[in-house]
Amino acid sequence: MKNLVTASAVLAVALAAGNAAAEEATIAVAANFTAPMKIIAEMFAEDTEHTVVTSFGATGKFYAQIKNGAPFEALLAADEKTPKKLADEGAGVADSRFTYAIGTLVLWSAKPDLVEDGKALLASGDFNKLSIANPKLAPYGVAAVQTMEAMGLKDALEPKLVMGENIAQTFQFVDTGNADLGFVALSQVMQNGEITKGSGWVVPADMHAPIRQDAIMLEPGKDNPAVAAFLEYLKSERALEVIHAFGYETE
Amino acid sequence: MLSDTDLQAIGLTLRLATTTTLILFVVGTPIAWWLARTRSRWKGPIGAVVALPLVLPPTVLGFYLLVAMGPNGPVGQLTQSLGIGLLPFTFWGLVVASVFYSFPFMVQPVQNAFEAMGERPLEAAATLRASPLDRFFTVAVPLSLPGFATAGILTFAHTVGEFGVVLMIGGNIPGVTRVASVQIYDYVEALEYGNAHRLAAVLLVFSFLVLLALYSWRPDLRKT
């Protein structure tokens, strides 16, 4: 709580100081949030005097880098586990943790007419490969496995599985046509509220545990007003509108 | 110490490296021979293409292989029309990718050995009426053995260390495309650092021994 008070105080001072206090925040962002983040970062630069520099990648890799002195000031993770771990280990500011987006899983194909009823299609086995994110590494992979289990098709689908190291690579396997189908993030195939490419079936939310993506302020960013300002900005109406447009839910 | 999946990954890695090295001996040697002897103006361009995998980032090479071998790519359409199906996510897909990736490691040492040998031994053999094929196998190859040894060891070791290309086209299937380097990467990403250290140590010791063999064995071959 003390940290939050400090952060708010810093923010207030920063806002009061105006342009004189323009700062830059260095933020690590989960790969699946790449597209919305780019837009939000631009809006943030317009709406405030601060700017952000972003690195996109796998959450697990960011964790290793942060623990070994990477200069990231905040992390927008693909899961809730990693920010919690960082907070527990003292690398992140515990009070700053919050869920910035809840991911939506979609069964997607680059072929325009392939996916209509996702469950029936998976049951029919009428496709070459099913691409999923590695469940050991990626929350979207865990959700994909839970979905297959909920359908009772996990064992039947096992021989057709190929795994991407993260959701970006999982998408790539399907996008290049090497796998007919894949469980990817809705944010990867959706723009302005609709699937713009190929065909997809949004997995009902009750088939898997929610994919909660948490953000956290990291130790190097504690005294940077731009970091607190950005995390606050993520909760603003304008930012939420972008996040929803890419198919994420929020709390 | 190592789990079953680790051993499986190591076994697969060795199988991939061995297959790649054997194929490259067959494919790389004629190209090395041609590059060493030709006076064609294509020598420069072909030599440069052979060396390309040295400078291209493996993920770039892997991505273009994924596209090329996919259903809409030229290689993918060829393999489909031949009834082989698609190569990505298969062991033979990795072999094809590794052959590209390790090409310069085979061709360049062999080419250097052929060039170092010069024309004279071949001319001498020709005056004794040895046929071209005879000259190649009984004169050129034995004289260039150190070059072949270097090329074989480097190709094998380089394929063992391959990561980016496999990651891009492999799909991480246990026993089919999940090689040791990918397995280590998985451990690191999953924050299982203990498992990563163990498997990495095995690869480290192995790589050191291979290079030790290369650097201490080669001069002996030279003397003979």
Side-chain angles (χ1 to χ4, degrees):
Chain A
M1 199 57 211
K2 205 175 101 200
N3 282 318
L4 191 61
V5 174
T6 320
S8 322
V10 168
L11 179 60
V13 170
L15 289 175
N19 280 333
E23 297 278 352
E24 192 177 84
T26 308
I27 301 184
V29 183
N32 74 73
F33 202 65
T34 303
M37 182 65 195
K38 283 185 175 160
I39 297 174
I40 294 171
E42 257 173 48
M43 285 168 20
F44 178 69
E46 277 168 22
D47 291 353
T48 72
E49 67 274 26
H50 303 300
T51 50
V52 289
V53 181
T54 44
S55 294
F56 300 103
T59 300
K61 200 177 293 129
F62 283 138
Y63 172 83
Q65 291 171 345
I66 289 163
K67 291 292 283 180
N68 289 289
F72 298 123
E73 297 175 297
L75 169 69
L76 304 193
D79 59 7
E80 50 181 343
K81 198 176 65 192
T82 308
K84 183 165 187 313
K85 206 165 146 85
L86 285 167
D88 291 346
E89 292 167 349
V93 180
D95 292 341
S96 67
R97 214 150 51 86
F98 71 99
T99 302
Y100 67 93
I102 299 170
T104 305
L105 192 66
V106 60
L107 182 69
W108 184 72
S109 171
K111 296 179 180 170
D113 303 315
L114 186 64
V115 188
E116 280 164 16
D117 180 349
K119 194 177 168 181
L121 179 60
L122 287 176
S124 75
D126 218 3
F127 52 93
N128 65 352
K129 297 277 179 197
L130 172 63
S131 175
I132 68 168
N134 189 336
K136 230 171 101 182
L137 312 179
Y140 283 92
V142 175
V145 171
Q146 287 170 344
T147 302
M148 292 187 288
E149 277 165 355
M151 291 172 172
L153 293 172
K154 174 135 188 298
D155 292 339
L157 291 170
E158 195 81 42
K160 299 208 168 202
L161 290 187
V162 294
M163 280 191 278
E165 293 307 303
N166 54 45
I167 200 67
Q169 206 197 359
T170 308
F171 171 77
Q172 202 175 74
F173 286 158
V174 190
D175 192 43
T176 56
N178 282 293
D180 282 340
L181 285 176
F183 279 112
V184 302
L186 184 55
S187 56
Q188 294 175 300
V189 295
M190 177 177 258
Q191 251 171 11
N192 302 323
E194 53 184 304
I195 294 176
T196 47
K197 194 179 165 189
S199 56
W201 176 74
V202 175
V203 177
D206 61 3
M207 285 192 155
H208 58 81
I211 308 165
R212 302 175 75 92
Q213 305 193 188
D214 282 8
I216 188 168
M217 181 189 288
L218 301 168
E219 279 297 308
K222 237 176 14 182
D223 301 321
N224 183 351
V227 178
F230 181 76
L231 292 179
E232 209 44 53
Y233 190 79
L234 266 182
K235 301 172 196 163
S236 71
E237 278 301 319
R238 269 197 94 184
L240 288 178
E241 215 171 278
V242 175
I243 295 173
H244 293 152
F246 280 94
Y248 293 98
E249 307 281 323
T250 49
E251 293 191 312
Chain B
M1 186 178 109
L2 293 173
S3 69
D4 284 353
T5 51
D6 287 350
L7 293 174
Q8 189 182 42
I10 290 173
L12 179 68
T13 306
L14 297 179
R15 196 153 60 92
L16 176 65
T18 309
T19 313
T20 303
T21 308
L22 291 178
I23 291 178
L24 270 177
F25 270 129
V26 176
V27 179
T29 306
I31 292 176
W33 178 255
W34 184 82
L35 280 171
R37 313 225 72 79
T38 185
R39 294 201 181 84
S40 157
R41 61 197 169 95
W42 288 100
K43 180 175 175 164
I46 302 282
V49 168
V50 166
L52 264 186
L54 287 175
V55 290
L56 271 184
T59 43
V60 170
L61 191 61
F63 178 68
Y64 286 111
L65 284 170
L66 182 69
V67 173
M69 302 198 301
N72 305 317
V75 180
Q77 290 186 336
L78 179 72
T79 53
Q80 277 177 315
S81 67
L82 292 175
I84 306 170
L86 293 173
L87 284 173
F89 318 128
T90 64
F91 176 75
W92 287 101
L94 291 197
V95 171
V96 170
S98 304
V99 164
F100 277 107
Y101 181 61
S102 293
F103 214 74
F105 291 81
M106 176 61 72
V107 171
Q108 292 187 346
V110 174
Q111 181 189 345
N112 289 341
F114 285 153
E115 281 171 353
M117 178 184 66
E119 296 284 344
R120 297 199 59 180
L122 296 173
E123 286 167 1
T127 59
L128 296 170
R129 297 207 187 146
S131 72
L133 212 61
D134 215 13
R135 274 177 278 172
F136 178 77
F137 280 110
T138 58
V139 179
V141 170
L143 282 175
S144 307
L145 264 191
F148 278 99
T150 306
I153 293 172
L154 279 181
T155 302
F156 187 87
H158 189 241
T159 310
V160 168
E162 179 176 352
F163 170 69
V165 175
V166 174
L167 189 77
M168 293 303 278
I169 64 163
N172 203 344
I173 303 166
V176 181
T177 59
R178 186 186 290 166
V179 297
S181 57
V182 171
Q183 177 86 340
I184 294 176
Y185 180 77
D186 275 4
Y187 282 142
V188 172
E189 292 282 288
L191 316 182
E192 294 172 10
Y193 295 155
N195 288 331
H197 291 325
R198 272 191 289 278
L199 190 52
V202 171
L203 271 200
L204 185 72
V205 169
F206 171 79
S207 307
F208 176 75
L209 289 178
V210 167
L211 292 174
L212 184 70
L214 176 67
Y215 287 118
S216 41
W217 182 42
R218 219 173 64 150
D220 295 337
L221 269 173
R222 277 265 159 85
K223 274 181 231 149
T224 56

